[in-house]
Amino acid sequence: MALLEVKDLQVRVEEREILHGLNLTVNEGEIHAIMGPNGSGKSTLSHVIAGKPGYEVTGGQILFRGEDLLEMSPDMRAAKGVFLAFQYPVEIPGVATMTFLRTALNAQRKARGESEYSTPDFLKKVREVSKSLNIPQDMLKRGVNVGFSGGEKKRNEVLQMALFEPSLCILDEMDSGLDIDALRVAADGVNALHSPKRAMVVITHYQRLLNYIVPDIVHVMSKGRVVKSGGKELALELEATGYAQFEDAA
Amino acid sequence: MNVAVAKTGKARALSDLFASAEGRLPGSPDVIAVRREAFEAYERLGLPHRRIEEWKYTDLRALVGEVLPLAATPDAAALKRAADAVKAQAIDGARKLVLVDGVFAADLSDAASLGSEATITTLREMLGNAANPAAGDLLRTITTDAVISLNAAMATDGIVLSIAEGVELSAPVQIIHVATAASASAFTRSHVKVGSRARATIIETFVAAGQAGAYQVNDAVVLWVGNEADVAHIRLMDDAADAVNISSQFVTIGANTKLNVFSMTSGAAVSRLQGWITLAGEGSELSVNGVNLLKDAEHGDTTLVVDHAVPNCTSREIFRAVLDDRAHSVFQGRIIVRPDAQKTDGKMMTRALLLSDEAEADNKPELEIFADDVSCGHGATAGALDDSLLFYLKARGLPEKQAQALLIQAFVGEAIEQIADDGLREHVIGIAERWLERRQ
């Protein structure tokens, strides 16, 4: 069974249709890249998979291990193993990072019927994970993303990914707002988390990110559909020719 | 308001109330004369209503209707119920002073353990002392209104606490008001005097014992803080869901003092905390903060006047209201800077969080500045939880209510974190957490 199956997905925002019958299948362990010009619907796809309000699904379905994801609340999707790394992670003043991480991790475990972490066990786990990702302890002492640089925010997303151990990670424009060094650090974190059981869907506008996170399959989106899929060489081809050729194909 | 309106059936009933209570009200003949005068002042005004500017948003005639008869002096059974409530509310290490239905309960209190650090008497005892020609002054305040006059007329008891110069209290003093009676009123008035260079933490707790409900509390506190003293005053009001709590505070601060005030409202159907804080000595720092947690059709009013009477003082006010269901919060904050009070630095910020479309928040900040070399500012906001923050938390696995709770805790945290003492701050965070758990 596929990990994620998006079938003929049609999505509206207010009165405008953004996705017009999108198909995508992701299996365990695969790294997919979704590329496409601005406005092609890449971020909409990631938001609909994660359950962000404001999108109306007018047709099609999204199955996660065969279960209807669209019937689940966003928190239930997270508990099932769907993780969206935000393009712009929000700052939450007054909520300590450690409190947030512990509350989220335990909420997911509770939803899955697993035992919650005690505070000492949780602290031990966070220390292990942050050490393996070279994340300074100081970052954990602040409010969630408060005063973080773009690079720190993305590293915090990677930290959460490592802590929550999702089976599907969707990285929405992870490269936006990052300089090349910060990008490399974040990408190293993502690569460290890739495993035969964990799939990644990397959404990006530029080929640059794919120098660091090498995809198995590249999809080109245009005007709300996947118009071409291929191997990693497709990304290089896009870099050379641009998206214009696909505008007509859509 | 015309006289015909003032003399309604309710007003006459109140006169009966005073007449029937008079035998139980402590005081020498001079004091009784002060009470009568106060009651007459109250009778002329009646309960405050929306046409009285200061009570515009809290119309007690509409919200409360009538003042209930004086609660009976607590019997053994009532004291037993109160003892359980006191046990539940006592803050670790604090010395308890307990008032049950408006009467000091010595057996539930730790007055003796204060030793030489402070002197404690009761209002009842002070008022009854015919040898004290100034006893009547205990019922007079720098400002007055109908509910304060009513308090002066009807106060049955209270704590009179005096902390000597230079003393550092080894433990907080906690005044616990317990209501055990239903459909009755308790009137209390306490005086706290903190001597120069003294350090003290005073906690006030309002709570119901067992099933007590539909009662009314009218409390007044007169706090005097001497020069170079360092005082924390924490008020925790968690009265029964159908109770009324009207409290008035009169605070005078000397020179080079630090006063940190915090108030938490998490109970009562109708409540108002009205305070007058006067900075009367130079070089003092005042921090006044509060959180109102309101649900159902609860009405919570915080009305505060900070009066900078002298130069070179700072005041900071941070207030937060969280409103669920059809709750209504009122914040009226006034900063007065007198003509001589140059170099005053006064800031006031109030924010309301509306969790429901039917909740209502009224914010009325006012600055009255008569000096020209000052730095003063205020801000007020009202709004809902931020959807983008909520979605982020939900996408990380927090169910809706839990995500809301985390954001609400952060919202009120800005006021709660002003409490300096770690233990007390955690205690107050615990009250907020329990309030939030009831929503889930």
Side-chain angles (χ1 to χ4, degrees):
Chain A
M1 187 193 296
L3 182 64
L4 177 75
E5 270 183 285
V6 180
K7 293 182 185 170
D8 193 29
L9 186 67
Q10 290 150 51
V11 173
R12 279 172 177 273
V13 175
E14 288 164 357
E15 287 307 296
R16 211 159 67 87
E17 192 169 273
I18 309 286
L19 300 182
H20 328 272
L22 184 138
N23 293 289
L24 177 71
T25 301
V26 178
N27 294 301
E28 282 185 343
E30 290 177 351
I31 300 183
H32 289 239
I34 297 179
M35 304 184 69
N38 288 328
S40 58
K42 303 187 300 291
S43 285
T44 296
L45 174 64
S46 71
H47 291 161
V48 172
I49 293 172
K52 187 174 182 176
Y55 297 91
E56 187 194 351
V57 177
T58 53
Q61 57 182 168
I62 304 178
L63 301 177
F64 187 72
R65 297 191 197 282
E67 286 187 272
D68 186 353
L69 208 57
L70 295 172
E71 285 299 306
M72 298 179 204
S73 59
D75 49 297
M76 187 50 74
R77 298 179 199 199
K80 290 277 182 187
V82 176
F83 182 93
L84 171 66
F86 282 55
Q87 182 178 5
Y88 300 109
V90 294
E91 298 193 11
I92 314 182
V95 177
T97 299
M98 291 297 262
T99 306
F100 160 66
L101 294 175
R102 194 181 65 234
T103 309
L105 181 60
N106 280 336
Q108 292 193 18
R109 292 181 66 87
K110 192 177 168 192
R112 290 193 294 262
E114 298 166 6
S115 66
E116 296 184 28
Y117 273 101
S118 68
T119 302
D121 288 349
F122 167 77
L123 290 174
K124 190 165 163 249
K125 187 167 170 71
V126 173
R127 266 198 289 271
E128 279 170 14
V129 168
S130 54
K131 200 175 168 197
S132 71
L133 294 169
N134 279 323
I135 287 172
Q137 295 293 309
D138 171 61
M139 252 176 71
L140 304 174
K141 289 178 183 154
R142 291 185 260 166
V144 177
N145 292 323
V146 175
F148 284 22
S149 67
E152 285 175 324
K153 284 179 182 169
K154 297 297 162 76
R155 287 170 80 182
N156 193 13
E157 297 289 282
V158 175
L159 169 67
Q160 292 170 45
M161 215 186 286
L163 201 57
F164 303 152
E165 303 177 276
S167 40
L168 175 66
C169 303
I170 301 162
L171 314 176
D172 187 8
E173 307 260 2
M174 193 178 148
D175 43 348
S176 64
L178 294 194
D179 61 35
I180 200 77
D181 292 332
L183 178 61
R184 185 176 291 133
V185 170
D188 285 349
V190 171
N191 286 327
L193 295 175
H194 178 232
S195 79
K197 286 283 174 192
R198 184 174 295 142
M200 306 270 180
V201 175
V202 182
I203 292 172
T204 184
H205 192 73
Y206 300 106
Q207 196 271 336
R208 189 178 69 163
L209 177 63
L210 305 181
N211 291 333
Y212 301 100
I213 303 174
V214 180
D216 301 307
I217 301 165
V218 174
H219 307 276
V220 181
M221 269 186 80
S222 181
K223 296 181 180 167
R225 286 194 185 91
V226 172
V227 291
K228 188 168 185 183
S229 300
K232 64 187 172 202
E233 64 287 348
L234 180 55
L236 295 167
E237 188 187 316
L238 278 172
E239 188 78 349
T241 60
Y243 291 115
Q245 56 172 317
F246 297 106
E247 304 275 316
D248 303 328
Chain B
M1 184 185 71
N2 62 41
V3 176
V5 173
K7 289 288 173 189
T8 58
K10 282 168 189 166
R12 278 194 300 278
L14 278 166
S15 304
D16 295 344
L17 170 78
F18 183 70
S20 65
E22 210 176 337
R24 287 189 47 213
L25 299 175
S28 59
D30 288 350
V31 168
I32 296 298
V34 174
R35 288 186 184 277
R36 282 222 183 88
E37 201 181 299
F39 193 80
E40 281 161 18
Y42 167 71
E43 260 200 326
R44 279 194 299 276
L45 297 166
L47 276 178
H49 53 85
R50 65 183 183 281
R51 280 165 294 165
I52 308 284
E53 182 60 23
E54 291 78 7
W55 292 83
K56 184 172 159 187
Y57 302 108
T58 300
D59 185 329
L60 288 188
R61 286 192 193 179
L63 290 165
V64 174
E66 61 183 334
V67 175
L68 297 169
L70 200 60
T73 302
D75 57 17
L79 289 172
K80 169 99 182 42
R81 290 200 300 280
D84 294 337
V86 167
K87 206 182 240 176
Q89 297 296 322
I91 287 182
D92 283 348
R95 273 80 174 255
K96 303 181 293 292
L97 300 170
V98 180
L99 294 156
V100 179
D101 297 331
V103 179
F104 181 65
D107 291 346
L108 302 180
S109 302
D110 309 319
S113 72
L114 270 149
S116 60
E117 292 181 4
T119 56
I120 294 176
T121 40
T122 63
L123 185 78
R124 170 170 291 270
E125 201 179 321
M126 297 283 282
L127 293 176
N129 180 1
N132 178 4
D137 290 347
L138 292 167
L139 298 176
R140 294 195 175 96
T141 43
I142 51 164
T143 184
T144 191
D145 65 14
V147 298
I148 299 166
S149 293
L150 187 61
N151 180 281
M154 304 288 289
T156 45
D157 211 342
I159 306 297
V160 181
L161 173 69
S162 179
I163 299 162
E165 285 189 10
V167 165
E168 183 172 341
L169 278 194
S170 55
V173 170
Q174 184 183 14
I175 300 173
I176 305 179
H177 296 258
V178 186
T180 73
S183 305
S185 282
F187 297 86
T188 45
R189 177 172 294 218
S190 294
H191 288 259
V192 177
K193 183 177 178 180
V194 182
S196 298
R197 302 183 315 283
R199 293 170 66 95
T201 297
I202 314 291
I203 304 158
E204 281 184 280
T205 301
F206 292 84
V207 68
Q211 302 301 308
Y215 58 85
Q216 296 175 352
V217 171
N218 181 330
D219 180 58
V221 173
V222 181
L223 171 64
W224 187 89
V225 184
N227 296 342
E228 294 169 51
D230 187 342
V231 174
H233 179 223
I234 314 279
R235 179 180 183 274
L236 309 171
M237 196 281 277
D238 190 22
D239 269 316
D242 51 0
V244 175
N245 183 309
I246 307 294
S247 294
S248 308
Q249 297 179 338
F250 308 89
V251 182
T252 309
I253 309 171
N256 301 312
T257 61
K258 278 188 185 164
L259 176 62
N260 190 320
V261 181
F262 181 87
S263 173
M264 167 75 97
T265 294
S266 55
V270 176
S271 67
R272 165 140 155 154
L273 172 62
Q274 50 177 7
W276 289 265
I277 304 180
T278 304
L279 289 142
E282 290 193 40
S284 290
E285 292 172 29
L286 170 67
S287 174
V288 192
N289 311 288
V291 171
N292 279 9
L293 302 173
L294 305 172
K295 58 181 170 34
D296 302 326
E298 290 169 359
H299 179 108
D301 176 338
T302 303
T303 293
L304 198 63
V305 179
V306 171
D307 188 346
H308 284 264
V310 296
N312 297 314
C313 291
T314 64
S315 62
R316 291 286 178 275
E317 299 171 51
I318 299 175
F319 284 84
R320 298 284 180 268
V322 179
L323 306 163
D324 208 352
D325 308 316
R326 288 155 290 133
H328 184 185
S329 80
V330 177
F331 176 83
Q332 304 185 104
R334 184 187 299 170
I335 300 175
I336 303 172
V337 182
R338 303 282 171 189
D340 293 337
Q342 302 294 1
K343 306 287 182 193
T344 287
D345 177 357
K347 304 272 186 307
M348 171 167 62
M349 183 69 204
T350 175
R351 292 174 65 195
L353 180 61
L354 292 90
L355 302 174
S356 142
D357 291 342
E358 293 172 277
E360 182 181 339
D362 288 299
N363 286 323
K364 188 180 160 199
E366 292 176 288
L367 300 178
E368 284 182 18
I369 301 175
F370 302 101
D372 52 16
D373 185 12
V374 302
S375 164
C376 284
H378 68 73
T381 67
L385 284 171
D386 185 325
D387 285 336
S388 65
L389 303 191
L390 271 177
F391 176 63
Y392 188 80
L393 294 175
K394 286 191 275 186
R396 293 298 176 255
L398 273 70
E400 173 83 27
K401 289 279 185 182
Q402 211 182 345
Q404 288 187 7
L406 205 56
L407 295 178
I408 295 166
Q409 275 170 30
F411 177 79
V412 299
E414 293 172 63
I416 295 174
E417 71 189 21
Q418 305 302 319
I419 299 172
D421 182 271
D422 294 343
L424 283 173
R425 194 170 57 245
E426 289 303 317
H427 182 88
V428 171
I429 290 170
I431 295 172
E433 282 174 355
R434 284 191 293 282
W435 188 86
L436 288 167
E437 276 163 17
R438 290 203 295 258
R439 292 188 73 235
Q440 298 192 19

